[in-house]
Every structure is written in C-alpha cells, then in structure tokens.
Amino acid sequence: MKRLLFIYNPMAGKGMIRSYLSDILEEFSGNGYELVVHPTMGPKDATRIVQECGDTFDIIVACGGDGTLDEAVTGLQTGHLDLPLGYIPAGSTNDYASSLGIPVQMRRAARSVMRGSVFPCDIGKMNDSYFVYVAAFGAFVNVSYDTPQDMKNMLGHMAYIVRGMQSLATIKSYHMHFESQERSGTGDFMLGMITNSNSVGGFKGITGRDVTLNDGVFEVTLIEMPSVPPVELPAVLTALVSRGENKHIITFKTSRIEIWFDEEVSWTRDGEFGGNHKYLVIENLPKALPIIVPDETMQDEEMTAQRESELSEAMRH
C-alpha cells in the first residue's frame, strides 16, 4: 500500500480546515493510501517533519497558506527528496494555487491531488533559503497581503492603489545596486519583487505578462522612488497594476540576480517574513518542484466555479 503524509496548518484560513478535514481524508483513503496525518505545531514544523521522515512516503500533501507550502518545499529541498507534492490551499490569498489552477474548495483540491498529474515547476533560492513563488521587499509588499479580501473583490486593482496611497506616510526608499545577465543598475528603490506567479497578495497581473512557471526565469519588478512621491505615486501604482509604462518601473526576466543594499533590508518570502539582508543572490531552480496539478477538465470546472463565486461576491456588495 502506498503511503501518504498529510501535513496541515490548523490555524490557516482562520482554522477553516477543521470543517473539511474528514472530507479531505476520505478522498485520500478512498484511493487506497495509508495515511499519516501531521498538524503543524509551530513555525518551520512542516519543514522539520518532511526532512525527518519524508523519505518513508510515496507522496506528501500540504494544506495551509502559502507559508505552509513554502515550509514543505523547503523540507523537500533541504532533505534532497524527489517526491510529488500535493497542495490544498487554506490561506487568505493562495496566489500559487491560483496560478496552477488548483481548486480553492478543499475537497475538490484533495480530489485533484488524487486525479492530477505532476507538473515540474520552477522554484527560487534566496541565499540559503528557498521560496516557491515570490521574494520581495519594500513599501507595498505588505499592502498586497494586508488589503482586506472583500475590498479586493469589490475594487480589484483599484484596492491596491487605494491602500498604497493610504501608506504614503510610511514609504521608504533603499539605496540598491543589482546585477544580472540581462540588466544591471543602481538607485533608490521603494519596492522590488522577484516572482514566479500570476499574482501576488491576491492581485492578478501585477507580476507581468506571459508568465510561465517552468521556463527557468523569474519576472523582476523594481520601482524607483519618485522625486515627488505624493504627486507621482498614483501614476506609478496605476502602471504597476495595469502593467503599463512608467519611467520609475523597471521590469525584466532573469534566472539569477545579485543585490547589494547600503543597509539591512527586510524581505518577504512567499508572504512570510524572509529575513533581513544586505546582500542577496537569488537564483531560479528550474523544474525543481514536482507539484501535482489538476487535469484540464478539473481546471475548466474550477475556473467556472471561481468566476461564479466572484460574480456572486460582487453582487452582494
């Protein structure tokens, strides 16, 4: 009998998983798996359990927010394990699941793990740490994750602009030099994102056009601090969310980038705290994550269900 390790964060999504745990386990056991269930006990616990006993299983499934997924992937990488990973999203944004077409409804997501296929996806390495889809710093990183979901549903990209303008008083720039094979530069930047996703913080489209999750390159977005922020920032934010042209926004694709700061700067990694860094090497690890994604039929069904849900939510407001 094949063995499945199910790791879940009981606190993710305001504890919503507790209501669906039985449904999820029924999907797995109904497909002939011997189950071992592990609720995480705290930060980095998912990494620890994957490292310690992952090699005794045929498949690992993680359930939680993007941070839980990040921990499971880190465990696979540091444990040198080549196992298929299933993901059941239970967070507030679920950017990565959205990019891969993984259902947001938990039982459907569990079913897609059983019925899906392995997709070799790129991931990132940031110095000695790993990230699944985004490493970022700067003024508007927290805006993406702190904006209420109902505000996103009602206003879409405009919600990002509104919340960004509300944070004007706390905006800070960082003197930075960056180098890559494609582009290098020096300046004062208020935001930087190295991404492999169609959305960040629940906002779709701000990572760029023609995003492919297994092409061996990241999408890089850097925003220079305008000389008169209160006057120029609305246009900068509008260009960011619409992927329009703006002289303060630098975008390019690369497989490796080095970054130097004049001071230690706080980073976000997959929506969680990623440490303070003065120097970073960020590189793409091509097709390093064998993640299970739904078949095309399930993806079509999920897209239809998601559109209906968004329409219903908009009508309520």
Side-chain angles (χ1 to χ4, degrees), residues 116-151:
S117 57
V118 172
F119 173 72
C121 192
D122 298 346
I123 58 173
K125 187 175 183 181
M126 186 174 78
N127 288 351
D128 294 327
S129 300
Y130 299 90
F131 64 95
V132 179
Y133 73 97
V134 59
F137 75 91
F140 302 119
V141 171
N142 289 337
V143 168
S144 298
Y145 295 95
D146 292 343
T147 303
Q149 189 61 49
D150 57 352
M151 188 176 183

Short mmCIF file of all heavy atoms in Angstrom, two decimals, residues 116-151:
data_model
loop_
_atom_site.label_atom_id
_atom_site.label_comp_id
_atom_site.label_asym_id
_atom_site.label_seq_id
_atom_site.Cartn_x
_atom_site.Cartn_y
_atom_site.Cartn_z
N GLY A 116 -4.83 14.28 -10.41
CA GLY A 116 -3.98 15.15 -11.20
C GLY A 116 -2.70 14.51 -11.69
O GLY A 116 -2.48 13.30 -11.56
N SER A 117 -1.85 15.34 -12.23
CA SER A 117 -0.56 14.88 -12.76
C SER A 117 0.55 15.78 -12.24
O SER A 117 0.31 16.91 -11.81
CB SER A 117 -0.58 14.90 -14.29
OG SER A 117 -0.88 16.20 -14.78
N VAL A 118 1.77 15.28 -12.29
CA VAL A 118 2.92 16.01 -11.77
C VAL A 118 3.37 17.07 -12.78
O VAL A 118 3.56 16.78 -13.96
CB VAL A 118 4.08 15.06 -11.44
CG1 VAL A 118 5.34 15.86 -11.09
CG2 VAL A 118 3.71 14.15 -10.28
N PHE A 119 3.52 18.28 -12.28
CA PHE A 119 4.00 19.40 -13.09
C PHE A 119 5.34 19.85 -12.52
O PHE A 119 5.43 20.28 -11.37
CB PHE A 119 3.00 20.55 -13.05
CG PHE A 119 3.48 21.82 -13.71
CD1 PHE A 119 3.60 21.90 -15.09
CD2 PHE A 119 3.82 22.93 -12.96
CE1 PHE A 119 4.04 23.07 -15.71
CE2 PHE A 119 4.27 24.11 -13.55
CZ PHE A 119 4.37 24.17 -14.93
N PRO A 120 6.44 19.74 -13.29
CA PRO A 120 7.75 20.16 -12.79
C PRO A 120 7.88 21.68 -12.82
O PRO A 120 8.05 22.28 -13.88
CB PRO A 120 8.73 19.49 -13.76
CG PRO A 120 7.95 19.34 -15.03
CD PRO A 120 6.51 19.18 -14.65
N CYS A 121 7.78 22.29 -11.65
CA CYS A 121 7.70 23.74 -11.55
C CYS A 121 9.01 24.34 -11.05
O CYS A 121 9.72 23.73 -10.24
CB CYS A 121 6.57 24.11 -10.58
SG CYS A 121 6.12 25.85 -10.62
N ASP A 122 9.32 25.54 -11.52
CA ASP A 122 10.49 26.26 -11.01
C ASP A 122 10.24 26.73 -9.58
O ASP A 122 9.10 27.02 -9.19
CB ASP A 122 10.78 27.50 -11.86
CG ASP A 122 11.09 27.19 -13.31
OD1 ASP A 122 11.35 26.00 -13.62
OD2 ASP A 122 11.07 28.12 -14.12
N ILE A 123 11.30 26.82 -8.79
CA ILE A 123 11.26 27.49 -7.50
C ILE A 123 12.49 28.39 -7.40
O ILE A 123 13.33 28.41 -8.30
CB ILE A 123 11.21 26.51 -6.31
CG1 ILE A 123 12.42 25.58 -6.31
CG2 ILE A 123 9.92 25.73 -6.31
CD1 ILE A 123 12.51 24.72 -5.06
N GLY A 124 12.59 29.14 -6.30
CA GLY A 124 13.69 30.06 -6.14
C GLY A 124 14.56 29.74 -4.94
O GLY A 124 14.10 29.15 -3.96
N LYS A 125 15.81 30.15 -5.01
CA LYS A 125 16.72 30.07 -3.88
C LYS A 125 17.23 31.47 -3.58
O LYS A 125 17.74 32.16 -4.47
CB LYS A 125 17.88 29.12 -4.17
CG LYS A 125 18.77 28.86 -2.96
CD LYS A 125 19.85 27.83 -3.26
CE LYS A 125 20.68 27.53 -2.00
NZ LYS A 125 21.75 26.56 -2.27
N MET A 126 17.08 31.89 -2.34
CA MET A 126 17.49 33.23 -1.90
C MET A 126 18.56 33.06 -0.83
O MET A 126 18.25 32.71 0.31
CB MET A 126 16.28 34.00 -1.36
CG MET A 126 16.56 35.44 -1.01
SD MET A 126 15.05 36.35 -0.55
CE MET A 126 14.81 35.76 1.13
N ASN A 127 19.82 33.26 -1.21
CA ASN A 127 20.94 32.89 -0.34
C ASN A 127 20.80 31.42 0.03
O ASN A 127 20.83 30.56 -0.83
CB ASN A 127 21.04 33.81 0.86
CG ASN A 127 21.53 35.21 0.48
OD1 ASN A 127 21.95 35.45 -0.64
ND2 ASN A 127 21.49 36.14 1.44
N ASP A 128 20.60 31.10 1.32
CA ASP A 128 20.49 29.70 1.73
C ASP A 128 19.04 29.26 1.96
O ASP A 128 18.81 28.16 2.46
CB ASP A 128 21.30 29.48 3.02
CG ASP A 128 22.79 29.68 2.80
OD1 ASP A 128 23.27 29.35 1.70
OD2 ASP A 128 23.46 30.17 3.73
N SER A 129 18.08 30.12 1.62
CA SER A 129 16.67 29.79 1.81
C SER A 129 15.99 29.55 0.46
O SER A 129 16.50 29.96 -0.59
CB SER A 129 15.95 30.92 2.56
OG SER A 129 16.54 31.14 3.83
N TYR A 130 14.82 28.91 0.53
CA TYR A 130 14.05 28.62 -0.69
C TYR A 130 12.74 29.38 -0.66
O TYR A 130 12.19 29.66 0.41
CB TYR A 130 13.80 27.12 -0.81
CG TYR A 130 15.06 26.30 -0.92
CD1 TYR A 130 15.71 25.81 0.22
CD2 TYR A 130 15.65 26.04 -2.15
CE1 TYR A 130 16.88 25.08 0.14
CE2 TYR A 130 16.82 25.30 -2.26
CZ TYR A 130 17.43 24.83 -1.11
OH TYR A 130 18.60 24.11 -1.20
N PHE A 131 12.23 29.69 -1.84
CA PHE A 131 10.88 30.25 -1.93
C PHE A 131 10.17 29.65 -3.14
O PHE A 131 10.81 29.21 -4.10
CB PHE A 131 10.89 31.78 -1.98
CG PHE A 131 11.56 32.39 -3.19
CD1 PHE A 131 10.82 32.76 -4.30
CD2 PHE A 131 12.94 32.61 -3.21
CE1 PHE A 131 11.42 33.34 -5.41
CE2 PHE A 131 13.56 33.20 -4.31
CZ PHE A 131 12.79 33.56 -5.41
N VAL A 132 8.86 29.63 -3.04
CA VAL A 132 8.07 28.97 -4.07
C VAL A 132 7.72 29.91 -5.22
O VAL A 132 7.87 29.55 -6.39
CB VAL A 132 6.77 28.38 -3.46
CG1 VAL A 132 5.93 27.71 -4.53
CG2 VAL A 132 7.11 27.40 -2.36
N TYR A 133 7.28 31.14 -4.89
CA TYR A 133 6.80 31.99 -5.98
C TYR A 133 7.11 33.48 -5.85
O TYR A 133 6.99 34.21 -6.82
CB TYR A 133 5.29 31.82 -6.16
CG TYR A 133 4.47 32.47 -5.08
CD1 TYR A 133 3.92 33.74 -5.28
CD2 TYR A 133 4.22 31.83 -3.88
CE1 TYR A 133 3.16 34.35 -4.29
CE2 TYR A 133 3.46 32.43 -2.90
CZ TYR A 133 2.94 33.69 -3.10
OH TYR A 133 2.20 34.28 -2.11
N VAL A 134 7.53 33.96 -4.68
CA VAL A 134 7.83 35.39 -4.59
C VAL A 134 8.83 35.68 -3.47
O VAL A 134 8.73 35.13 -2.38
CB VAL A 134 6.56 36.25 -4.38
CG1 VAL A 134 5.82 35.85 -3.10
CG2 VAL A 134 6.89 37.74 -4.36
N ALA A 135 9.79 36.54 -3.79
CA ALA A 135 10.68 37.15 -2.80
C ALA A 135 10.59 38.65 -3.06
O ALA A 135 10.75 39.09 -4.21
CB ALA A 135 12.11 36.65 -2.94
N ALA A 136 10.34 39.44 -2.01
CA ALA A 136 10.07 40.85 -2.24
C ALA A 136 10.48 41.71 -1.05
O ALA A 136 10.59 41.23 0.07
CB ALA A 136 8.58 41.07 -2.54
N PHE A 137 10.70 42.99 -1.33
CA PHE A 137 10.98 43.96 -0.27
C PHE A 137 10.28 45.26 -0.63
O PHE A 137 9.92 45.51 -1.78
CB PHE A 137 12.49 44.20 -0.14
CG PHE A 137 13.08 45.05 -1.24
CD1 PHE A 137 13.16 46.44 -1.11
CD2 PHE A 137 13.55 44.47 -2.41
CE1 PHE A 137 13.69 47.22 -2.13
CE2 PHE A 137 14.08 45.25 -3.44
CZ PHE A 137 14.15 46.63 -3.29
N GLY A 138 10.09 46.10 0.38
CA GLY A 138 9.67 47.46 0.11
C GLY A 138 8.29 47.86 0.55
O GLY A 138 7.58 47.12 1.24
N ALA A 139 7.90 49.04 0.11
CA ALA A 139 6.75 49.77 0.65
C ALA A 139 5.43 49.05 0.48
O ALA A 139 4.61 49.04 1.39
CB ALA A 139 6.69 51.16 0.01
N PHE A 140 5.18 48.47 -0.68
CA PHE A 140 3.85 47.97 -0.98
C PHE A 140 3.72 46.46 -0.86
O PHE A 140 2.69 45.89 -1.22
CB PHE A 140 3.42 48.42 -2.38
CG PHE A 140 3.44 49.92 -2.53
CD1 PHE A 140 4.26 50.52 -3.47
CD2 PHE A 140 2.65 50.72 -1.73
CE1 PHE A 140 4.30 51.89 -3.60
CE2 PHE A 140 2.68 52.09 -1.85
CZ PHE A 140 3.50 52.68 -2.79
N VAL A 141 4.77 45.81 -0.36
CA VAL A 141 4.69 44.36 -0.19
C VAL A 141 3.59 44.00 0.80
O VAL A 141 2.74 43.15 0.54
CB VAL A 141 6.05 43.80 0.26
CG1 VAL A 141 5.91 42.33 0.65
CG2 VAL A 141 7.09 43.96 -0.83
N ASN A 142 3.60 44.66 1.96
CA ASN A 142 2.58 44.37 2.96
C ASN A 142 1.19 44.81 2.52
O ASN A 142 0.18 44.24 2.95
CB ASN A 142 2.93 45.04 4.29
CG ASN A 142 4.11 44.37 4.96
OD1 ASN A 142 4.41 43.21 4.71
ND2 ASN A 142 4.81 45.11 5.81
N VAL A 143 1.13 45.83 1.66
CA VAL A 143 -0.17 46.27 1.15
C VAL A 143 -0.90 45.12 0.47
O VAL A 143 -2.10 44.93 0.65
CB VAL A 143 0.00 47.46 0.18
CG1 VAL A 143 -1.30 47.73 -0.58
CG2 VAL A 143 0.42 48.71 0.94
N SER A 144 -0.15 44.32 -0.31
CA SER A 144 -0.77 43.20 -1.03
C SER A 144 -1.45 42.24 -0.08
O SER A 144 -2.54 41.74 -0.35
CB SER A 144 0.31 42.45 -1.83
OG SER A 144 0.89 43.28 -2.79
N TYR A 145 -0.80 41.97 1.06
CA TYR A 145 -1.31 40.96 1.97
C TYR A 145 -2.24 41.53 3.04
O TYR A 145 -3.05 40.80 3.60
CB TYR A 145 -0.14 40.21 2.63
CG TYR A 145 0.66 39.42 1.63
CD1 TYR A 145 1.80 39.96 1.04
CD2 TYR A 145 0.25 38.15 1.23
CE1 TYR A 145 2.52 39.24 0.09
CE2 TYR A 145 0.96 37.43 0.29
CZ TYR A 145 2.09 37.98 -0.27
OH TYR A 145 2.80 37.28 -1.22
N ASP A 146 -2.13 42.85 3.30
CA ASP A 146 -2.95 43.45 4.34
C ASP A 146 -4.28 43.98 3.83
O ASP A 146 -5.17 44.29 4.62
CB ASP A 146 -2.19 44.61 5.01
CG ASP A 146 -1.00 44.12 5.81
OD1 ASP A 146 -0.96 42.91 6.12
OD2 ASP A 146 -0.10 44.94 6.12
N THR A 147 -4.43 44.11 2.51
CA THR A 147 -5.68 44.61 1.97
C THR A 147 -6.79 43.58 2.19
O THR A 147 -6.65 42.42 1.80
CB THR A 147 -5.55 44.89 0.46
OG1 THR A 147 -4.48 45.81 0.25
CG2 THR A 147 -6.84 45.48 -0.10
N PRO A 148 -7.91 43.97 2.82
CA PRO A 148 -9.00 43.02 3.07
C PRO A 148 -9.51 42.38 1.77
O PRO A 148 -9.61 43.05 0.74
CB PRO A 148 -10.08 43.89 3.71
CG PRO A 148 -9.34 45.05 4.30
CD PRO A 148 -8.20 45.31 3.35
N GLN A 149 -9.84 41.09 1.85
CA GLN A 149 -10.27 40.38 0.65
C GLN A 149 -11.55 40.95 0.07
O GLN A 149 -11.72 41.01 -1.15
CB GLN A 149 -10.46 38.89 0.96
CG GLN A 149 -10.70 38.03 -0.28
CD GLN A 149 -9.53 38.08 -1.26
OE1 GLN A 149 -8.39 37.91 -0.88
NE2 GLN A 149 -9.82 38.33 -2.53
N ASP A 150 -12.47 41.42 0.93
CA ASP A 150 -13.72 41.97 0.39
C ASP A 150 -13.45 43.26 -0.38
O ASP A 150 -14.15 43.59 -1.35
CB ASP A 150 -14.75 42.19 1.49
CG ASP A 150 -14.24 43.11 2.60
OD1 ASP A 150 -13.05 43.46 2.59
OD2 ASP A 150 -15.05 43.47 3.49
N MET A 151 -12.41 44.00 0.04
CA MET A 151 -12.02 45.20 -0.69
C MET A 151 -11.44 44.84 -2.06
O MET A 151 -11.70 45.51 -3.06
CB MET A 151 -11.02 46.00 0.13
CG MET A 151 -10.68 47.37 -0.42
SD MET A 151 -9.58 48.28 0.71
CE MET A 151 -9.44 49.85 -0.19
#
